[in-house]
């Protein structure tokens, strides 16, 4: 296999009933009607207008709904517009060849394949049906923008995270960098809340912040 850095290409859209978080462009004058009281609503609508997220309908986003691991990976692959367009294979890869719990005919299978072959490290035995935690989503998202933007390794003064003992040790670096990249912020008590199951609204805001940082540092951020 000749592995080249992936060029950006549109991700195949999936059925609205799957609650996929990436998909086709909606009309620019149509915004989600159920996020008026949601923090970051302008960011969510901006992503919608760029065709990087969608709801269960053109006007309904379900911002408080919890994100499954399958949806989270789809969210990242779609938001970063990951594809296999610039990767040469003798035979098209199947999700089941890498992930023991991802069926090849699942609506999210392509997202897992695209993420994996674009350098995002996802556990081979990951369960797509489980809720996505804040720390896992952060880890995968940070990997994604660093791979996409070919971002250099940076030396940072680690933030003092009040609940650092609750972090998955292998995620500590990406979580610290997410704070530096302004993808995340600590709460009023200085906590990251790593085990919290994220909502669609929270995931969308994190994606927007990640793309905003990527755009500020590179010329490779996805374009609508």
């Amino acid at each position: 296999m000749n592995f080249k850095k992936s060029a950006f290409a549109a991700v195949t859209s999936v059925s609205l009933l799957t609650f996929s978080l990436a998909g086709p462009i909606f009309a620019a004058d149509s915004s989600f009607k159920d996020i008026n009281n949601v923090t970051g609503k302008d960011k969510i609508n901006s992503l919608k207008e760029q065709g990087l997220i969608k709801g269960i309908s053109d006007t309904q986003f379900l911002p408080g709904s919890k994100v499954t691991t399958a949806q989270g990976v789809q969210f990242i692959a779609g938001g970063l517009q990951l594809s296999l367009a610039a990767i040469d294979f003798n035979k098209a890869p199947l999700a089941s060849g890498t992930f023991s719990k991802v069926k090849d005919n699942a609506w999210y299978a392509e997202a897992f394949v695209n993420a994996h072959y674009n350098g995002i490290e996802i556990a081979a035995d990951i369960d797509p049906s489980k809720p996505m935690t804040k720390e896992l989503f952060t880890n995968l998202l940070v990997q994604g923008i660093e791979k996409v933007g070919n971002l250099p390794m940076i030396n940072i003064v680690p933030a003092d995270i009040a609940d650092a003992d609750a972090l998955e040790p292998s995620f500590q670096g990406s979580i610290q960098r997410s704070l530096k990249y302004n993808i995340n912020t600590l709460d009023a008590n200085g906590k990251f809340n790593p085990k919290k199951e994220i909502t669609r609204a929270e995931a969308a805001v994190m994606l927007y912040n990640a793309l905003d940082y990527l755009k500020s540092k590179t010329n490779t951020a996805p374009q609508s």
Side-chain angles (χ1 to χ4, degrees):
M1 179 182 72
N2 180 17
F3 191 104
K4 303 176 184 176
K5 183 171 181 60
S6 175
F8 294 109
V11 175
T12 302
S13 62
V14 295
S15 170
L16 291 175
L17 295 179
T18 64
F19 295 99
S20 169
L21 299 177
I25 297 175
F26 289 116
D29 61 350
S30 177
S31 60
F32 291 124
K33 305 304 183 185
D34 59 351
I35 63 171
N36 289 335
N37 297 319
V38 173
T39 299
K41 67 177 182 178
D42 291 339
K43 294 180 179 181
I44 296 171
N45 276 324
S46 175
L47 290 175
K48 180 191 177 186
E49 291 169 5
Q50 295 176 67
L52 299 178
I53 62 172
K54 68 179 180 182
I56 63 167
S57 73
D58 193 25
T59 59
Q60 189 177 20
F61 184 63
L62 293 186
S65 178
K66 295 294 177 64
V67 176
T68 65
T69 297
Q71 293 165 359
V73 172
Q74 177 69 47
F75 199 114
I76 293 169
L80 297 180
Q81 299 185 43
L82 304 179
S83 79
L84 306 183
I87 307 173
D88 297 331
F89 295 95
N90 293 325
K91 183 179 180 180
L94 297 175
S96 62
T98 301
F99 303 102
S100 61
K101 298 178 182 178
V102 178
K103 296 182 179 179
D104 295 323
N105 62 351
W107 62 263
Y108 49 82
E110 183 179 19
F112 276 79
V113 170
N114 288 341
H116 174 73
Y117 284 100
N118 279 276
I120 298 179
E121 297 180 2
I122 304 173
D125 63 349
I126 198 166
D127 186 346
S129 67
K130 284 190 173 181
M132 179 75 92
T133 63
K134 183 179 180 182
E135 66 176 356
L136 177 56
F137 186 81
T138 296
N139 179 60
L140 300 183
L141 180 58
V142 167
Q143 286 187 62
I145 65 166
E146 290 177 341
K147 295 290 185 179
V148 164
N150 194 26
L151 299 180
M153 295 300 295
I154 57 175
N155 292 318
I156 61 175
V157 177
D160 185 10
I161 301 176
D163 55 352
D165 289 346
L167 301 179
E168 164 61 38
S170 63
F171 296 166
Q172 288 185 4
S174 58
I175 288 171
Q176 286 286 351
R177 296 196 299 279
S178 81
L179 298 172
K180 179 67 174 181
Y181 299 158
N182 295 317
I183 295 173
N184 286 309
T185 58
L186 302 178
D187 69 14
N189 296 315
K191 294 183 177 182
F192 185 79
N193 302 303
K195 309 304 182 188
K196 178 183 178 182
E197 297 172 359
I198 62 171
T199 65
R200 289 165 62 89
E202 290 167 338
V205 169
M206 290 167 63
L207 174 61
Y208 181 96
N209 292 343
L211 291 173
D212 192 52
Y213 180 82
L214 186 61
K215 183 178 179 181
S216 73
K217 295 298 180 182
T218 75
N219 293 317
T220 58
Q223 301 295 314
S224 59

